[in-house]
mmCIF file of all heavy atoms in Angstrom:
data_model
loop_
_atom_site.group_PDB
_atom_site.id
_atom_site.type_symbol
_atom_site.label_atom_id
_atom_site.label_comp_id
_atom_site.label_asym_id
_atom_site.label_seq_id
_atom_site.Cartn_x
_atom_site.Cartn_y
_atom_site.Cartn_z
ATOM 1 N N ILE A 6 8.646 -0.516 -9.276
ATOM 2 C CA ILE A 6 9.381 -1.666 -8.735
ATOM 3 C C ILE A 6 8.464 -2.890 -8.739
ATOM 4 O O ILE A 6 7.312 -2.809 -8.303
ATOM 5 C CB ILE A 6 9.874 -1.397 -7.292
ATOM 6 C CG1 ILE A 6 10.737 -0.127 -7.254
ATOM 7 C CG2 ILE A 6 10.664 -2.593 -6.766
ATOM 8 C CD1 ILE A 6 11.229 0.260 -5.855
ATOM 9 N N ALA A 48 12.651 -5.806 -7.355
ATOM 10 C CA ALA A 48 12.654 -5.728 -5.883
ATOM 11 C C ALA A 48 13.633 -6.744 -5.304
ATOM 12 O O ALA A 48 13.624 -7.902 -5.716
ATOM 13 C CB ALA A 48 11.260 -6.013 -5.358
ATOM 14 N N ALA A 94 6.378 -13.098 -1.255
ATOM 15 C CA ALA A 94 6.078 -12.211 -0.117
ATOM 16 C C ALA A 94 7.338 -11.447 0.307
ATOM 17 O O ALA A 94 7.264 -10.261 0.673
ATOM 18 C CB ALA A 94 5.526 -13.024 1.046
ATOM 19 N N HIS A 96 9.856 -10.602 -1.672
ATOM 20 C CA HIS A 96 10.171 -9.574 -2.678
ATOM 21 C C HIS A 96 9.128 -8.453 -2.664
ATOM 22 O O HIS A 96 9.465 -7.293 -2.916
ATOM 23 C CB HIS A 96 10.305 -10.212 -4.061
ATOM 24 C CG HIS A 96 11.597 -10.958 -4.235
ATOM 25 N ND1 HIS A 96 12.787 -10.333 -4.575
ATOM 26 C CD2 HIS A 96 11.905 -12.263 -4.065
ATOM 27 C CE1 HIS A 96 13.759 -11.233 -4.622
ATOM 28 N NE2 HIS A 96 13.255 -12.424 -4.320
ATOM 29 N N ALA A 97 7.877 -8.800 -2.391
ATOM 30 C CA ALA A 97 6.841 -7.751 -2.292
ATOM 31 C C ALA A 97 7.211 -6.771 -1.178
ATOM 32 O O ALA A 97 7.142 -5.551 -1.346
ATOM 33 C CB ALA A 97 5.470 -8.371 -2.031
ATOM 34 N N ALA A 98 7.634 -7.302 -0.044
ATOM 35 C CA ALA A 98 8.038 -6.420 1.063
ATOM 36 C C ALA A 98 9.333 -5.680 0.726
ATOM 37 O O ALA A 98 9.488 -4.489 1.049
ATOM 38 C CB ALA A 98 8.199 -7.236 2.342
ATOM 39 N N GLY A 99 10.246 -6.367 0.056
ATOM 40 C CA GLY A 99 11.521 -5.745 -0.308
ATOM 41 C C GLY A 99 11.353 -4.582 -1.278
ATOM 42 O O GLY A 99 12.186 -3.665 -1.317
ATOM 43 N N ALA A 100 10.281 -4.609 -2.063
ATOM 44 C CA ALA A 100 10.047 -3.525 -3.027
ATOM 45 C C ALA A 100 9.914 -2.182 -2.306
ATOM 46 O O ALA A 100 10.496 -1.171 -2.720
ATOM 47 C CB ALA A 100 8.780 -3.818 -3.834
ATOM 48 N N GLY A 101 9.164 -2.173 -1.243
ATOM 49 C CA GLY A 101 8.958 -0.924 -0.502
ATOM 50 C C GLY A 101 10.237 -0.436 0.158
ATOM 51 O O GLY A 101 10.508 0.767 0.218
ATOM 52 N N VAL A 102 11.027 -1.392 0.632
ATOM 53 C CA VAL A 102 12.306 -1.041 1.259
ATOM 54 C C VAL A 102 13.236 -0.397 0.219
ATOM 55 O O VAL A 102 13.868 0.638 0.487
ATOM 56 C CB VAL A 102 12.955 -2.305 1.884
ATOM 57 C CG1 VAL A 102 14.370 -2.013 2.341
ATOM 58 C CG2 VAL A 102 12.095 -2.820 3.049
ATOM 59 N N LEU A 103 13.293 -0.995 -0.970
ATOM 60 C CA LEU A 103 14.113 -0.395 -2.038
ATOM 61 C C LEU A 103 13.592 0.996 -2.395
ATOM 62 O O LEU A 103 14.381 1.926 -2.615
ATOM 63 C CB LEU A 103 14.109 -1.299 -3.281
ATOM 64 C CG LEU A 103 14.801 -0.714 -4.520
ATOM 65 C CD1 LEU A 103 16.297 -0.448 -4.264
ATOM 66 C CD2 LEU A 103 14.638 -1.641 -5.737
ATOM 67 N N GLY A 104 12.270 1.138 -2.434
ATOM 68 C CA GLY A 104 11.685 2.441 -2.739
ATOM 69 C C GLY A 104 12.143 3.511 -1.754
ATOM 70 O O GLY A 104 12.514 4.624 -2.140
ATOM 71 N N VAL A 105 12.138 3.147 -0.477
ATOM 72 C CA VAL A 105 12.599 4.089 0.555
ATOM 73 C C VAL A 105 14.074 4.431 0.327
ATOM 74 O O VAL A 105 14.468 5.609 0.355
ATOM 75 C CB VAL A 105 12.399 3.478 1.964
ATOM 76 C CG1 VAL A 105 13.090 4.330 3.024
ATOM 77 C CG2 VAL A 105 10.911 3.338 2.275
ATOM 78 N N VAL A 116 7.526 6.436 -6.069
ATOM 79 C CA VAL A 116 7.722 5.017 -6.384
ATOM 80 C C VAL A 116 6.377 4.313 -6.344
ATOM 81 O O VAL A 116 5.594 4.521 -5.409
ATOM 82 C CB VAL A 116 8.660 4.366 -5.336
ATOM 83 C CG1 VAL A 116 8.759 2.862 -5.541
ATOM 84 C CG2 VAL A 116 10.043 5.011 -5.369
ATOM 85 N N PHE A 117 6.122 3.469 -7.345
ATOM 86 C CA PHE A 117 4.974 2.557 -7.259
ATOM 87 C C PHE A 117 5.482 1.127 -7.298
ATOM 88 O O PHE A 117 6.294 0.775 -8.156
ATOM 89 C CB PHE A 117 3.978 2.780 -8.403
ATOM 90 C CG PHE A 117 2.790 1.852 -8.305
ATOM 91 C CD1 PHE A 117 1.781 2.085 -7.378
ATOM 92 C CD2 PHE A 117 2.711 0.720 -9.109
ATOM 93 C CE1 PHE A 117 0.706 1.205 -7.256
ATOM 94 C CE2 PHE A 117 1.637 -0.157 -8.983
ATOM 95 C CZ PHE A 117 0.630 0.082 -8.060
ATOM 96 N N CYS A 118 5.007 0.320 -6.365
ATOM 97 C CA CYS A 118 5.409 -1.081 -6.286
ATOM 98 C C CYS A 118 4.272 -1.960 -6.790
ATOM 99 O O CYS A 118 3.219 -2.051 -6.153
ATOM 100 C CB CYS A 118 5.759 -1.454 -4.849
ATOM 101 S SG CYS A 118 7.064 -0.425 -4.143
ATOM 102 N N ASN A 119 4.488 -2.580 -7.946
ATOM 103 C CA ASN A 119 3.503 -3.497 -8.533
ATOM 104 C C ASN A 119 3.797 -4.901 -8.012
ATOM 105 O O ASN A 119 4.521 -5.670 -8.651
ATOM 106 C CB ASN A 119 3.594 -3.435 -10.063
ATOM 107 C CG ASN A 119 2.544 -4.314 -10.739
ATOM 108 O OD1 ASN A 119 1.584 -4.756 -10.105
ATOM 109 N ND2 ASN A 119 2.740 -4.572 -12.028
ATOM 110 N N VAL A 120 3.284 -5.187 -6.837
ATOM 111 C CA VAL A 120 3.655 -6.427 -6.149
ATOM 112 C C VAL A 120 2.430 -7.133 -5.555
ATOM 113 O O VAL A 120 1.405 -6.509 -5.295
ATOM 114 C CB VAL A 120 4.679 -6.155 -5.012
ATOM 115 C CG1 VAL A 120 6.011 -5.708 -5.576
ATOM 116 C CG2 VAL A 120 4.147 -5.142 -3.999
ATOM 117 N N ARG A 121 2.558 -8.398 -5.340
ATOM 118 C CA ARG A 121 1.615 -9.217 -4.579
ATOM 119 C C ARG A 121 2.379 -10.364 -3.955
ATOM 120 O O ARG A 121 3.432 -10.707 -4.478
ATOM 121 C CB ARG A 121 0.440 -9.692 -5.453
ATOM 122 C CG ARG A 121 0.873 -10.507 -6.662
ATOM 123 C CD ARG A 121 -0.301 -10.905 -7.526
ATOM 124 N NE ARG A 121 -1.125 -11.963 -6.943
ATOM 125 C CZ ARG A 121 -0.803 -13.260 -7.010
ATOM 126 N NH1 ARG A 121 0.324 -13.666 -7.578
ATOM 127 N NH2 ARG A 121 -1.601 -14.158 -6.467
ATOM 128 N N PRO A 122 1.957 -10.981 -2.883
ATOM 129 C CA PRO A 122 0.710 -10.710 -2.167
ATOM 130 C C PRO A 122 0.675 -9.314 -1.552
ATOM 131 O O PRO A 122 1.715 -8.739 -1.248
ATOM 132 C CB PRO A 122 0.697 -11.778 -1.069
ATOM 133 C CG PRO A 122 2.123 -12.168 -0.875
ATOM 134 C CD PRO A 122 2.747 -12.050 -2.222
ATOM 135 N N PRO A 123 -0.572 -8.792 -1.399
ATOM 136 C CA PRO A 123 -0.724 -7.485 -0.744
ATOM 137 C C PRO A 123 -0.413 -7.586 0.749
ATOM 138 O O PRO A 123 -0.063 -8.670 1.242
ATOM 139 C CB PRO A 123 -2.195 -7.151 -0.986
ATOM 140 C CG PRO A 123 -2.877 -8.470 -1.152
ATOM 141 C CD PRO A 123 -1.858 -9.397 -1.766
ATOM 142 N N GLY A 124 -0.524 -6.465 1.483
ATOM 143 C CA GLY A 124 -0.021 -6.498 2.851
ATOM 144 C C GLY A 124 -0.877 -5.908 3.962
ATOM 145 O O GLY A 124 -0.694 -6.264 5.118
ATOM 146 N N HIS A 125 -1.806 -4.998 3.650
ATOM 147 C CA HIS A 125 -2.327 -4.148 4.748
ATOM 148 C C HIS A 125 -3.218 -4.844 5.773
ATOM 149 O O HIS A 125 -3.498 -4.270 6.817
ATOM 150 C CB HIS A 125 -2.990 -2.873 4.195
ATOM 151 C CG HIS A 125 -4.324 -3.059 3.569
ATOM 152 N ND1 HIS A 125 -5.281 -2.065 3.553
ATOM 153 C CD2 HIS A 125 -4.870 -4.124 2.921
ATOM 154 C CE1 HIS A 125 -6.356 -2.512 2.910
ATOM 155 N NE2 HIS A 125 -6.126 -3.747 2.517
ATOM 156 N N ASN A 139 3.111 -7.387 6.144
ATOM 157 C CA ASN A 139 2.563 -6.049 5.930
ATOM 158 C C ASN A 139 3.608 -5.179 5.208
ATOM 159 O O ASN A 139 4.447 -4.522 5.829
ATOM 160 C CB ASN A 139 2.128 -5.420 7.250
ATOM 161 C CG ASN A 139 1.255 -4.206 7.000
ATOM 162 O OD1 ASN A 139 1.602 -3.344 6.195
ATOM 163 N ND2 ASN A 139 0.121 -4.132 7.672
ATOM 164 N N ASN A 140 3.522 -5.188 3.876
ATOM 165 C CA ASN A 140 4.544 -4.545 3.039
ATOM 166 C C ASN A 140 4.736 -3.066 3.379
ATOM 167 O O ASN A 140 5.857 -2.578 3.487
ATOM 168 C CB ASN A 140 4.156 -4.675 1.565
ATOM 169 C CG ASN A 140 3.931 -6.119 1.145
ATOM 170 O OD1 ASN A 140 4.653 -7.012 1.604
ATOM 171 N ND2 ASN A 140 2.952 -6.371 0.294
ATOM 172 N N ILE A 141 3.629 -2.346 3.531
ATOM 173 C CA ILE A 141 3.737 -0.896 3.740
ATOM 174 C C ILE A 141 4.321 -0.615 5.128
ATOM 175 O O ILE A 141 5.128 0.313 5.299
ATOM 176 C CB ILE A 141 2.363 -0.213 3.524
ATOM 177 C CG1 ILE A 141 2.538 1.238 3.072
ATOM 178 C CG2 ILE A 141 1.474 -0.234 4.758
ATOM 179 C CD1 ILE A 141 2.711 1.417 1.610
ATOM 180 N N ALA A 142 3.968 -1.423 6.113
ATOM 181 C CA ALA A 142 4.501 -1.213 7.470
ATOM 182 C C ALA A 142 5.997 -1.515 7.512
ATOM 183 O O ALA A 142 6.764 -0.820 8.200
ATOM 184 C CB ALA A 142 3.751 -2.099 8.466
ATOM 185 N N ILE A 143 6.413 -2.526 6.775
ATOM 186 C CA ILE A 143 7.839 -2.877 6.736
ATOM 187 C C ILE A 143 8.637 -1.733 6.096
ATOM 188 O O ILE A 143 9.700 -1.344 6.591
ATOM 189 C CB ILE A 143 8.032 -4.205 5.974
ATOM 190 C CG1 ILE A 143 7.433 -5.364 6.798
ATOM 191 C CG2 ILE A 143 9.514 -4.457 5.650
ATOM 192 C CD1 ILE A 143 7.198 -6.642 6.011
ATOM 193 N N ALA A 144 8.093 -1.163 5.029
ATOM 194 C CA ALA A 144 8.772 -0.031 4.378
ATOM 195 C C ALA A 144 8.802 1.187 5.306
ATOM 196 O O ALA A 144 9.815 1.882 5.420
ATOM 197 C CB ALA A 144 8.066 0.305 3.063
ATOM 198 N N ALA A 145 7.685 1.439 5.988
ATOM 199 C CA ALA A 145 7.612 2.599 6.889
ATOM 200 C C ALA A 145 8.590 2.444 8.056
ATOM 201 O O ALA A 145 9.288 3.395 8.438
ATOM 202 C CB ALA A 145 6.181 2.771 7.398
ATOM 203 N N VAL A 160 -1.186 6.617 4.024
ATOM 204 C CA VAL A 160 -2.581 6.789 3.619
ATOM 205 C C VAL A 160 -3.020 5.530 2.879
ATOM 206 O O VAL A 160 -2.271 4.961 2.100
ATOM 207 C CB VAL A 160 -2.817 8.059 2.766
ATOM 208 C CG1 VAL A 160 -2.339 9.293 3.504
ATOM 209 C CG2 VAL A 160 -2.151 7.967 1.432
ATOM 210 N N ASP A 161 -4.223 5.084 3.162
ATOM 211 C CA ASP A 161 -4.720 3.791 2.687
ATOM 212 C C ASP A 161 -6.109 4.006 2.117
ATOM 213 O O ASP A 161 -7.062 4.221 2.869
ATOM 214 C CB ASP A 161 -4.741 2.820 3.880
ATOM 215 C CG ASP A 161 -5.170 1.408 3.508
ATOM 216 O OD1 ASP A 161 -5.910 1.244 2.527
ATOM 217 O OD2 ASP A 161 -4.783 0.477 4.240
ATOM 218 N N PHE A 162 -6.218 3.971 0.772
ATOM 219 C CA PHE A 162 -7.548 4.169 0.166
ATOM 220 C C PHE A 162 -8.122 2.882 -0.411
ATOM 221 O O PHE A 162 -9.076 2.918 -1.196
ATOM 222 C CB PHE A 162 -7.541 5.328 -0.849
ATOM 223 C CG PHE A 162 -6.504 5.249 -1.943
ATOM 224 C CD1 PHE A 162 -6.557 4.280 -2.924
ATOM 225 C CD2 PHE A 162 -5.478 6.198 -2.005
ATOM 226 C CE1 PHE A 162 -5.615 4.238 -3.947
ATOM 227 C CE2 PHE A 162 -4.524 6.162 -3.017
ATOM 228 C CZ PHE A 162 -4.597 5.173 -3.999
ATOM 229 N N ASP A 163 -7.578 1.753 -0.004
ATOM 230 C CA ASP A 163 -8.210 0.467 -0.326
ATOM 231 C C ASP A 163 -9.633 0.474 0.255
ATOM 232 O O ASP A 163 -9.893 1.152 1.251
ATOM 233 C CB ASP A 163 -7.384 -0.654 0.310
ATOM 234 C CG ASP A 163 -7.814 -2.038 -0.129
ATOM 235 O OD1 ASP A 163 -8.789 -2.568 0.441
ATOM 236 O OD2 ASP A 163 -7.177 -2.596 -1.037
ATOM 237 N N PHE A 238 3.629 7.217 2.615
ATOM 238 C CA PHE A 238 3.394 5.899 2.030
ATOM 239 C C PHE A 238 1.930 5.803 1.643
ATOM 240 O O PHE A 238 1.064 6.353 2.331
ATOM 241 C CB PHE A 238 3.722 4.797 3.037
ATOM 242 C CG PHE A 238 5.190 4.712 3.354
ATOM 243 C CD1 PHE A 238 5.732 5.457 4.394
ATOM 244 C CD2 PHE A 238 6.031 3.922 2.590
ATOM 245 C CE1 PHE A 238 7.089 5.401 4.679
ATOM 246 C CE2 PHE A 238 7.381 3.861 2.866
ATOM 247 C CZ PHE A 238 7.923 4.596 3.916
ATOM 248 N N ILE A 239 1.678 5.089 0.553
ATOM 249 C CA ILE A 239 0.294 4.882 0.125
ATOM 250 C C ILE A 239 0.022 3.384 0.035
ATOM 251 O O ILE A 239 0.706 2.668 -0.694
ATOM 252 C CB ILE A 239 0.015 5.531 -1.254
ATOM 253 C CG1 ILE A 239 0.372 7.023 -1.252
ATOM 254 C CG2 ILE A 239 -1.449 5.328 -1.644
ATOM 255 C CD1 ILE A 239 0.232 7.700 -2.624
ATOM 256 N N SER A 240 -0.964 2.919 0.806
ATOM 257 C CA SER A 240 -1.512 1.579 0.598
ATOM 258 C C SER A 240 -2.554 1.742 -0.496
ATOM 259 O O SER A 240 -3.685 2.164 -0.238
ATOM 260 C CB SER A 240 -2.158 1.050 1.880
ATOM 261 O OG SER A 240 -1.259 0.253 2.603
ATOM 262 N N ALA A 241 -2.122 1.440 -1.733
ATOM 263 C CA ALA A 241 -2.931 1.771 -2.903
ATOM 264 C C ALA A 241 -3.771 0.561 -3.311
ATOM 265 O O ALA A 241 -3.306 -0.322 -4.032
ATOM 266 C CB ALA A 241 -2.029 2.231 -4.051
ATOM 267 N N GLY A 242 -4.990 0.550 -2.829
ATOM 268 C CA GLY A 242 -5.942 -0.487 -3.226
ATOM 269 C C GLY A 242 -6.979 0.134 -4.141
ATOM 270 O O GLY A 242 -7.429 1.262 -3.908
ATOM 271 N N PHE A 243 -7.328 -0.594 -5.185
ATOM 272 C CA PHE A 243 -8.238 -0.052 -6.196
ATOM 273 C C PHE A 243 -9.534 -0.871 -6.256
ATOM 274 O O PHE A 243 -10.181 -0.944 -7.290
ATOM 275 C CB PHE A 243 -7.519 -0.013 -7.552
ATOM 276 C CG PHE A 243 -6.276 0.849 -7.508
ATOM 277 C CD1 PHE A 243 -5.032 0.298 -7.198
ATOM 278 C CD2 PHE A 243 -6.350 2.226 -7.708
ATOM 279 C CE1 PHE A 243 -3.888 1.089 -7.111
ATOM 280 C CE2 PHE A 243 -5.215 3.026 -7.625
ATOM 281 C CZ PHE A 243 -3.992 2.456 -7.329
ATOM 282 N N VAL A 287 7.364 9.781 -1.925
ATOM 283 C CA VAL A 287 6.167 8.965 -1.751
ATOM 284 C C VAL A 287 6.445 7.557 -2.277
ATOM 285 O O VAL A 287 6.909 7.398 -3.410
ATOM 286 C CB VAL A 287 4.964 9.556 -2.531
ATOM 287 C CG1 VAL A 287 3.729 8.673 -2.370
ATOM 288 C CG2 VAL A 287 4.665 10.977 -2.082
ATOM 289 N N VAL A 288 6.174 6.571 -1.452
ATOM 290 C CA VAL A 288 6.213 5.165 -1.898
ATOM 291 C C VAL A 288 4.792 4.625 -1.838
ATOM 292 O O VAL A 288 4.166 4.626 -0.773
ATOM 293 C CB VAL A 288 7.135 4.304 -1.020
ATOM 294 C CG1 VAL A 288 6.934 2.807 -1.333
ATOM 295 C CG2 VAL A 288 8.599 4.676 -1.254
ATOM 296 N N SER A 289 4.298 4.189 -2.990
ATOM 297 C CA SER A 289 2.953 3.622 -3.082
ATOM 298 C C SER A 289 3.062 2.134 -3.371
ATOM 299 O O SER A 289 3.858 1.716 -4.223
ATOM 300 C CB SER A 289 2.197 4.335 -4.210
ATOM 301 O OG SER A 289 0.951 3.709 -4.426
ATOM 302 N N MET A 290 2.271 1.344 -2.650
ATOM 303 C CA MET A 290 2.332 -0.111 -2.841
ATOM 304 C C MET A 290 0.949 -0.660 -3.140
ATOM 305 O O MET A 290 -0.038 -0.293 -2.489
ATOM 306 C CB MET A 290 2.903 -0.786 -1.583
ATOM 307 C CG MET A 290 4.280 -0.240 -1.209
ATOM 308 S SD MET A 290 5.114 -1.216 0.064
ATOM 309 C CE MET A 290 5.671 -2.625 -0.906
ATOM 310 N N LEU A 291 0.875 -1.561 -4.104
ATOM 311 C CA LEU A 291 -0.401 -2.158 -4.492
ATOM 312 C C LEU A 291 -0.987 -2.963 -3.336
ATOM 313 O O LEU A 291 -0.304 -3.787 -2.731
ATOM 314 C CB LEU A 291 -0.187 -3.076 -5.702
ATOM 315 C CG LEU A 291 -1.438 -3.772 -6.240
ATOM 316 C CD1 LEU A 291 -2.433 -2.761 -6.798
ATOM 317 C CD2 LEU A 291 -1.064 -4.794 -7.311
ATOM 318 N N GLU A 292 -2.266 -2.724 -3.072
ATOM 319 C CA GLU A 292 -3.006 -3.573 -2.137
ATOM 320 C C GLU A 292 -4.075 -4.315 -2.950
ATOM 321 O O GLU A 292 -3.745 -5.202 -3.703
ATOM 322 C CB GLU A 292 -3.611 -2.731 -0.996
ATOM 323 C CG GLU A 292 -2.586 -1.953 -0.164
ATOM 324 C CD GLU A 292 -1.782 -2.802 0.829
ATOM 325 O OE1 GLU A 292 -1.964 -4.026 0.868
ATOM 326 O OE2 GLU A 292 -0.948 -2.224 1.559
ATOM 327 N N GLY A 293 -5.373 -3.935 -2.812
ATOM 328 C CA GLY A 293 -6.423 -4.632 -3.545
ATOM 329 C C GLY A 293 -6.668 -4.045 -4.929
ATOM 330 O O GLY A 293 -5.949 -3.144 -5.388
ATOM 331 N N HIS A 307 -3.152 6.667 -11.317
ATOM 332 C CA HIS A 307 -2.428 6.889 -10.060
ATOM 333 C C HIS A 307 -0.959 7.245 -10.327
ATOM 334 O O HIS A 307 -0.432 8.222 -9.770
ATOM 335 C CB HIS A 307 -2.557 5.608 -9.237
ATOM 336 C CG HIS A 307 -1.787 5.568 -7.965
ATOM 337 N ND1 HIS A 307 -1.973 6.462 -6.938
ATOM 338 C CD2 HIS A 307 -0.805 4.706 -7.531
ATOM 339 C CE1 HIS A 307 -1.160 6.155 -5.930
ATOM 340 N NE2 HIS A 307 -0.440 5.108 -6.267
ATOM 341 N N LEU A 311 1.060 10.610 -9.600
ATOM 342 C CA LEU A 311 2.190 10.499 -8.681
ATOM 343 C C LEU A 311 3.440 11.155 -9.287
ATOM 344 O O LEU A 311 4.182 11.858 -8.609
ATOM 345 C CB LEU A 311 2.436 9.004 -8.425
ATOM 346 C CG LEU A 311 3.196 8.544 -7.206
ATOM 347 C CD1 LEU A 311 2.524 9.024 -5.930
ATOM 348 C CD2 LEU A 311 3.282 7.005 -7.202
#
Side-chain angles (χ1 to χ4, degrees):
I6 304 178
H96 285 278
V102 171
L103 174 62
V105 170
V116 174
F117 181 76
C118 303
N119 183 15
V120 292
R121 59 182 286 279
H125 74 151
N139 194 312
N140 304 322
I141 207 86
I143 292 163
V160 304
D161 183 333
F162 54 67
D163 189 278
F238 292 90
I239 305 175
S240 265
F243 300 91
V287 178
V288 169
S289 173
M290 303 191 77
L291 180 65
E292 301 284 2
H307 175 60
L311 201 58

